Amino acid sequence: MAVESDLQIAGDILSVQHLLQPAGEHPSTVAEFVGLARSIAANRAEWEHLVEYDATTRWYHRLRTGPQALDSARAGGAPIGYEVWLLSWVPGQGSGRHDHGASSGILTVLEGELTEHGPRGALTLGAGAQRVFAPGYAHEVVNDTLEGAVSLHVYFPGLTEMPMHSCSPAVSGAVSA
């Protein structure tokens, strides 16, 4: 029997708007991290001038790191901090199928459009769209359009690994006989 994450049990927190909260000085809940992502997205002056596009490799820039949340030390582990990354995507660029190890995350599309290929199929994400994912959630993100795209990624705890996965037919779009 597979163990389901809190998000699989409770559903998508982004669909329950009254639970979302503005970002505090030191976010410590999923709702507060969503608020952090939204506040950064709304402040174009903070990130717009940093964006670069690179046709040879995916461009990324660590925009911010955060201190550990109060009382966040995990049993036998390091305290939990967070990271905020800015990524650009030229047409055709993709992440490859991967997960984020022990990190949870929030993906926010700032400009353009991205396609997420996940366990439930393909989902088109336009500017302003957000996705929340739990540790171990495997997906692939691709710019399937003819225009550039920019996205913001918040990882908590900070990203320490990004294991790559082989593509399954459902993720790669291949048809099996």
Side-chain angles (χ1 to χ4, degrees):
M1 179 176 165
V3 176
E4 293 186 332
S5 73
D6 291 344
L7 288 174
Q8 290 168 315
I9 294 166
D12 186 353
I13 189 171
L14 298 174
S15 66
V16 189
Q17 294 294 314
H18 70 280
L19 293 178
L20 299 179
Q21 302 166 0
E25 184 179 352
H26 301 294
S28 62
T29 67
V30 173
E32 289 172 344
F33 282 109
V34 169
L36 173 66
R38 288 182 176 193
S39 68
I40 294 171
N43 185 4
R44 293 183 71 86
E46 181 177 354
W47 56 266
E48 187 174 42
H49 67 283
L50 299 169
V51 175
E52 298 177 21
Y53 292 93
D54 186 336
T56 60
T57 186
R58 284 189 346 174
W59 176 88
Y60 53 90
H61 173 78
R62 187 162 61 186
L63 191 60
R64 185 185 298 182
T65 59
Q68 72 181 44
L70 299 176
D71 301 322
S72 68
R74 293 168 280 174
I80 300 171
Y82 67 90
E83 293 179 306
V84 180
W85 291 88
L86 187 63
L87 283 77
S88 70
W89 309 76
V90 299
Q93 278 184 333
S95 64
R97 185 167 161 78
H98 66 281
D99 69 57
H100 304 90
S103 298
S104 294
I106 297 147
L107 161 66
T108 304
V109 179
L110 301 176
E111 291 181 354
E113 184 177 287
L114 295 171
T115 303
E116 179 194 36
H117 299 274
R120 294 189 175 121
L123 179 62
T124 301
L125 306 169
Q130 289 187 294
R131 297 284 292 139
V132 173
F133 51 87
Y137 177 77
H139 67 163
E140 178 176 18
V141 179
V142 179
N143 180 354
D144 287 329
T145 73
L146 297 176
E147 302 292 328
V150 179
S151 58
L152 182 81
H153 304 249
V154 178
Y155 300 108
F156 50 99
L159 196 61
T160 58
E161 62 178 326
M162 197 173 104
M164 301 303 290
H165 299 256
S166 61
C167 285
S168 68
V171 172
S172 67
V175 177
S176 58

